[in-house]
Structures are given as structure tokens and as C-alpha cells.
Amino acid sequence: MASLRFLTVLLIHICLFVSFSSAEDPNVFYQFEVSYITASPLGVPQQVIAINGNFPGPTINATTNNNVIVNVRNKLDENLLMTWAGIQQRRSSWQDGVLGTNCPIPPKWNWTYNFQVKDQIGSFFYFPSLNMQRASGGFGGFIINNRAVISIPFANPDGDITILIGDWYTKNHTALRKMLDDGKDLGMPDGVLINGKGPYQYNTTLVPDGIDYETLEVHPGKTYRLRVHNVGVSTTLNFRIQNHNLLLAESEGSYTVQQNYTSLDIHNASSDYYIVASARFVNESNWKRVTGVGILHYTNSKGKAAGPLPAGPQDEYDKTYSMNQARSIRWNVSASGARPNPQGSFRYGSINVTDVYVLKNKPPVMINGKRRTTLSGISFKNPSTPIRLADWFKVKNAYKLDFPARPLTGAPKLETSVINATFRGFIEIILQNNDTKMQSYHVDGYAFFVVGMDYGEWTENSRGTYNKWDGIARSTVQVYPGAWSAILISLDNVGIWNIRAENLDSWYLGQETYMRVVNPEANNKTELPIPDNALYCGALNKLQKPQDISSATSIATNGSKLFFALLMIIYAFVSLFP
């Protein structure tokens, strides 16, 4: 499916899944030390962001309804926030890790995230959300397994492999950020990485000696689950494996109607085979060196991968193939498992829409002498006091609750303008891409229903083309150049939720907003209270004390461990007296 940044699970049967954890522990603990290291993924030494000294970072492995506790130590020289793309943070936008809800973690400070992966399954990823940092790394996979009592809608795979693909620059994020601040485009990336590694030397002219490449070892006759994530800056990638078909089984937490594909856009073996991630919708001759190549190695392989790389779709200027592939991906409505909006999952087409927003993006514009990107004529200005904190403490004038339902017709504006969403409403959002490049958009806090997409301008009559039964439920959707995509969201999750362009350059330059979803009858059933270890900044900076971080972190982490230890003692005691 042609999509930037969406997370896909592919089942690949070898003709000739991390194995699921039992996850009986309701708490999953991780310690993240985020720092710079020097690496050379494309043969050029550069500064990258590592977690616990590794690039990419570790895969978080949890099970539905686990509590995930991640203590983050910021050893960068700038502020940090980690966000968990696709994790819905039910009742707890406090843990979302974006500037609209959280104050950043200062250098040399700790902060502990503590959230439940409530009623979710699937394949996701995490990354640093501030200031283009993802362009230097700091990302990793995030798996939520089914509980043991819930079966998966396919035979248990023999192995489970996370694959992180993405375009890559040999300049680090601070240099890329400066280019954008100076009004420049980022230009063509220097390559594509697979799991943080450069390309296999399939071509001695394009790929120099000494590049470390990814090798995935598999056994003949086995079936493997591949969780493929596009974690790059802005390039749509096509993923394929030489001489193999891919069976799409899940996308961003939703099981799909299973179909075979020779390749997918993301946004007894006689030899090894190429694994390829190549750029889409670009001039192939100019972008040949921007191709990620790894190796699928069979344990009984008798030779190296050979021949030309398997060809990707040839629709650089005609994107019909890609859109048709996207439309072909449907939700498996008969599969068991955690679902978004369970009460409305099978009848979303008959739910009354309460609000309609058309969000239109255009090529960058000049606002106050600076090059900016916009949604509906507004370039988002991040507030000094996060919106959720401003609400909690009743800080005035921190933002404006006036984001327009239709694009502005006048001059573009730089504003902290937020959508006033209706709690328990059913919102329709049309994403209109009037730019010349591919875009994808992400919504925090929810899985939404992708009900339609087409070329041209969206009109009221476009609703006649909507899929009202089995549109896939996702948290990211692609929008083709000169086209629109329509999504429906059941607003049952209280909080402040980010809507953003997933292209890092577009996001950094202002292509985002937030939805404010508030229960007028405030209670702990619809939203958890502010966490004890909350960070304070902006107008609330005076509330922050240096010792708050260490003490709150200690309480959050040690308290959870103590609770678990008590449970184990009780369990052991009860076991003595059957």
C-alpha cells in the first residue's frame, strides 16, 4: 500500500514471528539512555541518536493491556520527547510525547513514561518528536501481542522480524534543521537504510566497499512475520523481496483481509535473495543510489544473491497503480482481537457525522519573512505552555480554539490554532493535498477509519465513493499529490491529540494542529489526572523544581516494581495453600 510511515505486518512463506512473549506480567519495564554516537551507515562517519548505545533502538515488546513503563534519560545536548506512534494512550494524553501535551525533557534529566496499551494489538514504532531528531535516529519498533486467550487470524508464524526502513541523510538533524530554517529544501537523501544499515553492494559503481548491510536469516519451509516500518524523513518507499510474494496480514493494529502482493509501498532455496526498499514517485535514474538493499539468507543457501534488483512499480508519473493498491487493503471484520471503537467497529458507515473538517495543504509559503508549511492556511506555532497543561491549570491565551472547518481564503497565518472537537462526536476529516509531493498524516490518540481517497478536489458528492463497511482502521493515511483522503474518527478518547504531517520537513515547518477533546463532566473515568512526575514549562515554569524529576522518576519506577514484587509474594503465598 502506498503510504509513508505506515506500519505493516507481512507474512512471507518460504517455499522450499521476537516469538510471542507469554506476557503474564502486567508491567513491562524499559530503560532508555538516549545519546549521540558516531556511526557510518552509508560509509560516512556521522552523529546519530542511539538508545542504550544502539542504533536503531530496542524493540518494545508488550501484550494487550500491559502497562508499559519507560524511563528515559536524556543525554543529548537539547530537549527531548519520545512519542509512540499509533499507541492510543487511552485516557492519558499526558504520555503522548508531543509539545502540545508535554513539556520536553531537558538535557541530563530523566523522565518516566507510564501508560497502558489498552485494547490494542499490532505493529508500531516510537521516535523522538522534537526538532527533526528522528532524521538522526532514536527510533525503534513497538509490538503489542494478542493476549493468549485471543487467537490470531492466521497460523502462528515460525519467526517474527522487525524491519525499519527509511531514507537517510549523511547530515545530522541539526544541519537539516538549519537548512529548513534558512528557507532551503532538504534535497535528495543520500540513501535508504534497512535496520540502520546501508545497502548491500549489489552494484560496485553505486555502492562503495565496506558498507555494513542487513542480513535476515531464515529457514526453508518456515513462515515469518515481517513488521515493516517506514521511519525515514519524507520518502515513500516500496518494499519487496526478490522472487517472493508477501501476504499482507495487519496494518497499524488492524488485521487486514489477507491478499498477496509482489511488493508493497510503505509509505528450498538455491541462493540468497535481495531485500529492497526503493524510493517511489521520483525519477528512478537520478535516485538509483537512494536504494536500501539487504539480504534474505537461507540456512541452506548455496550462493549469494545475484542478478539485477527486482523491479518496483513503474508509475512515477501515473500513480493509479499505487492508489488502487491502497484501496485494495480492507479490514478483516471477522478477526478476533482488540479493536478501535469496539461498539461502532462494524457500523461506522451508519453513524451520524457531527463535525466535518477539510484540511488542505499547499506548497510552502512565506509568513513573516520565513518559509512555512500550512494546513488550511494556518502554520502551527508550538505554544510555550503545552495545551493540555494550560487547560489543567487554566492558563489564559495559551492557544486559540478556532481552527477553521474549511480552509482560509485570505493570507496564511502563524497561529496556535486548535480544533474544538466534540467529545463522543463522530468527526469526518478530509485531507486535501494540493502540493506536488506525496504526503501522509498521522492522528494521535485514535485509530480512524480510512473510507475514501481519489484524485482532484473533494466535494460533498465524493461521499458516494466511500467504503462504508470494511475500510481499514489506522492512525496514518497517505494523501497522493493532487488528491484527497477521507477519514472518520469516533471521538471517545479525552485529551489533546496531535494531527500532523509525517514528512519531517513539512511537520517541522508547521503542518500540524491539535484536536481538543474534553468531557464537560470531568472525571477519572474518561481521563486520568495529571501524573505526579509531570514536567512544567512556559507560564508554569515556576512549578518545576530540579528535584521533582529524580523523585518522581523514582516513585513511578520503583513504585511499579514494588507493586509487582508484592503481587509475586502474594502469588507465592497463595500457591502454598491450594
Side-chain angles (χ1 to χ4, degrees):
M1 175 168 169
S3 172
L4 292 171
R5 220 73 57 229
F6 85 87
L7 313 181
T8 304
V9 169
L10 311 171
L11 293 180
I12 174 171
H13 182 68
I14 309 304
C15 36
L16 289 156
F17 141 96
V18 150
S19 298
F20 288 133
S21 64
S22 61
E24 294 177 3
D25 182 356
N27 297 306
V28 180
F29 297 95
Y30 286 86
Q31 180 77 29
F32 279 14
E33 184 176 274
V34 184
S35 66
Y36 296 120
I37 63 170
T38 299
S40 306
L42 293 178
V44 179
Q46 64 180 117
Q47 183 188 75
V48 305
I49 296 176
I51 297 178
N52 301 337
N54 295 313
F55 167 72
T59 297
I60 292 177
N61 201 322
T63 295
T64 302
N65 296 342
N66 277 177
N67 299 301
V68 178
I69 300 161
V70 185
N71 183 46
V72 176
R73 169 87 171 160
N74 180 12
K75 298 191 73 175
L76 305 182
D77 57 359
E78 58 185 15
N79 288 340
L80 173 72
L81 278 174
M82 301 299 295
T83 193
W84 324 90
I87 306 302
Q88 294 174 21
Q89 306 293 356
R90 304 296 297 179
R91 302 192 301 141
S92 187
S93 65
W94 304 108
Q95 308 292 326
D96 199 30
V98 287
L99 279 178
T101 50
N102 299 105
C103 294
I105 307 168
K108 300 181 181 179
W109 286 34
N110 285 357
W111 199 72
T112 301
Y113 291 88
N114 192 338
F115 54 89
Q116 186 179 27
V117 288
K118 180 68 174 172
D119 295 333
Q120 285 191 266
I121 56 93
S123 308
F124 308 95
F125 71 100
Y126 62 84
F127 64 91
S129 66
L130 301 185
N131 295 324
M132 297 282 294
Q133 287 170 350
R134 191 175 75 202
S136 286
F139 44 72
F142 197 131
I143 297 171
I144 308 177
N145 302 300
N146 284 47
R147 291 182 296 140
V149 296
I150 304 293
S151 61
I152 56 177
F154 41 81
N156 279 322
D158 299 296
D160 193 303
I161 302 170
T162 294
I163 302 176
L164 306 174
I165 62 177
D167 59 357
W168 189 257
Y169 293 82
T170 54
K171 294 184 177 71
N172 70 3
H173 68 283
T174 56
L176 297 177
R177 192 166 69 209
K178 186 177 186 306
M179 291 175 65
L180 294 176
D181 290 339
D182 291 343
K184 300 175 183 177
D185 284 322
L186 297 182
M188 187 171 69
D190 297 296
V192 170
L193 305 188
I194 299 178
N195 286 345
K197 298 177 181 178
Y200 171 80
Q201 194 177 38
Y202 69 98
N203 181 308
T204 56
T205 302
L206 297 174
V207 184
D209 288 327
I211 299 290
D212 188 19
Y213 59 88
E214 178 71 338
T215 299
L216 304 180
E217 184 171 280
V218 295
H219 296 269
K222 303 292 186 180
T223 300
Y224 294 83
R225 175 148 76 172
L226 309 182
R227 303 177 187 265
V228 185
H229 313 247
N230 185 340
V231 296
V233 175
S234 64
T235 305
T236 300
L237 299 175
N238 179 269
F239 180 83
R240 55 197 183 274
I241 299 179
Q242 186 181 27
N243 293 347
H244 289 76
N245 282 335
L246 306 171
L247 181 69
L248 182 65
E250 179 242 314
S251 178
E252 287 189 324
S254 293
Y255 292 125
T256 64
V257 174
Q258 293 171 24
Q259 302 178 74
N260 279 298
Y261 296 90
T262 56
S263 68
L264 279 163
D265 288 350
I266 306 189
H267 319 204
N268 296 330
S270 59
S271 67
D272 295 340
Y273 294 89
Y274 294 126
I275 300 169
V276 181
S278 62
R280 295 280 280 120
F281 313 127
V282 296
N283 186 303
E284 184 181 355
S285 60
N286 294 337
W287 284 62
K288 269 190 174 180
R289 64 181 175 81
V290 186
T291 299
V293 182
I295 295 297
L296 186 73
H297 171 69
Y298 285 86
T299 53
N300 67 339
S301 172
K302 296 179 177 62
K304 294 183 177 181
L309 297 183
Q314 302 298 312
D315 61 342
E316 175 191 343
Y317 301 108
D318 177 10
K319 301 170 182 65
T320 304
Y321 169 92
S322 187
M323 184 177 282
N324 286 341
Q325 185 186 85
R327 289 167 169 163
S328 74
I329 297 176
R330 301 299 180 93
W331 200 16
N332 184 346
V333 296
S334 64
S336 299
R339 296 181 179 280
N341 182 30
Q343 67 273 24
S345 294
F346 306 107
R347 299 183 179 85
Y348 68 83
S350 60
I351 300 174
N352 291 328
V353 170
T354 56
D355 298 284
V356 180
Y357 280 80
V358 178
L359 306 185
K360 180 181 290 189
N361 76 286
K362 294 181 178 180
V365 297
M366 298 300 291
I367 303 177
N368 301 333
K370 291 288 188 179
R371 189 168 180 263
R372 302 284 299 181
T373 54
T374 59
L375 268 182
S376 295
I378 297 176
S379 187
F380 190 80
K381 179 183 178 182
N382 276 304
S384 59
T385 307
I387 300 164
R388 187 66 202 93
L389 275 175
D391 271 2
W392 189 267
F393 289 96
K394 297 180 171 52
V395 176
K396 295 182 179 180
N397 303 318
Y399 63 93
K400 296 180 179 180
L401 204 58
D402 63 352
F403 195 92
R406 294 293 188 274
L408 297 177
T409 56
K413 299 179 180 180
L414 182 65
E415 300 276 4
T416 308
S417 182
V418 175
I419 292 174
N420 187 12
T422 304
F423 177 54
R424 291 184 178 150
F426 197 60
I427 189 172
E428 177 183 11
I429 296 179
I430 294 90
L431 296 157
Q432 180 78 50
N433 183 4
N434 282 22
D435 202 345
T436 57
K437 65 179 184 179
M438 188 78 174
Q439 297 282 356
S440 77
Y441 289 90
H442 181 87
V443 179
D444 283 352
Y446 294 96
F448 50 70
F449 302 103
V450 181
V451 294
M453 60 181 64
D454 206 349
Y455 290 104
E457 291 280 327
W458 180 90
T459 68
E460 301 286 336
N461 294 332
S462 301
R463 293 193 180 100
T465 67
Y466 284 6
N467 175 357
K468 297 185 177 181
W469 170 244
D470 60 356
I472 192 71
R474 293 174 51 188
S475 59
T476 311
V477 64
Q478 71 273 39
V479 192
Y480 294 87
W484 56 267
S485 294
I487 62 176
L488 298 174
I489 314 175
S490 178
L491 299 176
D492 58 355
N493 193 14
V494 170
I496 304 296
W497 304 110
N498 191 217
I499 301 175
R500 62 176 177 267
E502 276 292 85
N503 303 36
L504 288 188
D505 49 351
S506 298
W507 181 12
Y508 177 74
L509 291 175
Q511 208 165 90
E512 65 175 323
T513 186
Y514 285 81
M515 282 193 304
R516 180 178 180 267
V517 183
V518 174
N519 181 0
E521 301 175 4
N523 58 65
N524 289 349
K525 291 182 179 180
T526 56
E527 185 182 28
L528 297 174
I530 186 171
D532 292 338
N533 65 337
L535 297 176
Y536 298 100
C537 54
L540 301 170
N541 192 57
K542 62 183 181 296
L543 299 179
Q544 184 64 57
K545 298 179 181 178
Q547 64 269 25
D548 285 355
I549 300 304
S550 57
S551 61
T553 298
S554 176
I555 291 169
T557 305
N558 295 335
S560 298
K561 290 182 177 178
L562 177 60
F563 176 70
F564 172 59
L566 288 172
L567 284 179
M568 292 299 98
I569 292 169
I570 293 170
Y571 175 77
F573 183 77
V574 171
S575 299
L576 294 174
F577 301 95

